Amino acid sequence: MADDFITQVNEEMRAQRLRAMARRFGALAGGVLVVAAIGGGAWAWSSHSRHEAQRVASARYFQTLQTLADPKHDKAATDRAEAAFADLAVHGPVGVRAFAAMRVADMKMQAHDTAGAVQSWQSVADDTKADQGLRGMARYMLLNAQTNTADPKTLRAGYEALAQENGGPWASLAQEGLVALDLRPGSTDANHQEARRLLTQLANSDTATAGSRARAQALLETFGDAG
């Protein structure tokens, strides 16, 4: 049961991640097209330069995405795309670099390079200038990728921190991460009681996603068989 629950959570996570990135990068792409008429010599030129750098980086990001969207692209094209994203992740302007780093992490995971993905997600989580939603996403992905390898106490602390961000886009999935920890093989009755409490909270939450509420309710209905 716990394995099925984790699989469903991962599917929800992937869908939510794509929606969040689409919304946030859509806003970014729209913003870089708006250049206000600002007087003031050097200040105006500096502002123009920043907008231009953002525009160029955004264009490069989307062009690279289009390359990967081509069903005929080969490994060489994939490698070039990853290199472009990696360069943007390090040298790109604020905003674009975080999106690029998230793409690098995705590609690392597809190549079964978990360590590389973790490093890329960590760079976003640590970037104080990155969008807060993206930082939360990176934090969640870090925890999710290390579910079977990291110290459970470390995972629990990380999930709890995200879950406490009431209304945050990753709060409900973080709570599900806590449930998964409490239903691990070898868990105690106290763990199961805590899982039941969290599931009840999720099932009745006004801010959790519909998927989270449905999974919580379904697991509660069969919770007597969970241990």
Side-chain angles (χ1 to χ4, degrees), residues 21 24-25 27-29 32 53-54 57-58 61 88-89 91-103 124 127-132 134-135:
M21 290 188 75
R24 294 181 186 281
F25 207 96
L28 172 65
V32 298
Q54 193 84 300
S58 298
Y61 177 92
L88 285 171
H91 302 110
V94 174
V96 175
R97 70 183 179 217
F99 283 94
M102 295 297 284
R103 291 292 177 183
V124 178
D127 187 351
T128 58
K129 294 184 179 180
D131 178 271
Q132 289 301 308
L134 279 181
R135 293 184 71 191

Side-chain angles (χ1 to χ4, degrees), residues 197-220:
R197 184 189 71 80
L198 289 169
L199 288 167
T200 301
Q201 187 179 78
L202 273 172
N204 296 301
S205 173
D206 292 330
T207 58
T209 65
S212 290
R213 291 196 300 271
R215 285 191 296 276
Q217 186 60 48
L219 196 52
L220 278 171

Side-chain angles (χ1 to χ4, degrees), residues 14-95:
R14 283 192 289 270
Q16 187 162 329
R17 179 181 55 181
L18 290 173
R19 289 194 297 270
M21 290 188 75
R23 286 195 302 270
R24 294 181 186 281
F25 207 96
L28 172 65
V32 298
L33 296 177
V34 179
V35 181
I38 304 173
W43 195 95
W45 172 250
S46 176
S47 176
H48 169 75
S49 297
R50 288 195 300 272
H51 281 289
E52 181 64 12
Q54 193 84 300
R55 185 193 67 77
V56 170
S58 298
R60 186 182 180 195
Y61 177 92
F62 283 117
Q63 288 169 358
T64 305
L65 280 183
Q66 290 176 349
T67 298
L68 292 177
D70 183 349
K72 297 181 180 179
H73 79 271
D74 56 14
K75 186 179 184 304
T78 299
D79 291 342
R80 287 194 298 272
E82 184 173 341
F85 285 137
D87 182 62
L88 285 171
V90 174
H91 302 110
V94 174

Side-chain angles (χ1 to χ4, degrees), residues 122-162:
Q122 191 69 61
S123 72
V124 178
D126 293 341
D127 187 351
T128 58
K129 294 184 179 180
D131 178 271
Q132 289 301 308
L134 279 181
R135 293 184 71 191
M137 184 191 303
R139 288 163 58 198
Y140 177 81
M141 298 300 294
L142 274 168
L143 293 165
N144 190 67
Q146 300 176 89
T147 298
N148 297 319
T149 58
D151 181 352
K153 291 182 179 179
T154 300
L155 291 171
R156 188 174 297 277
Y159 281 129
E160 285 175 346
L162 276 178

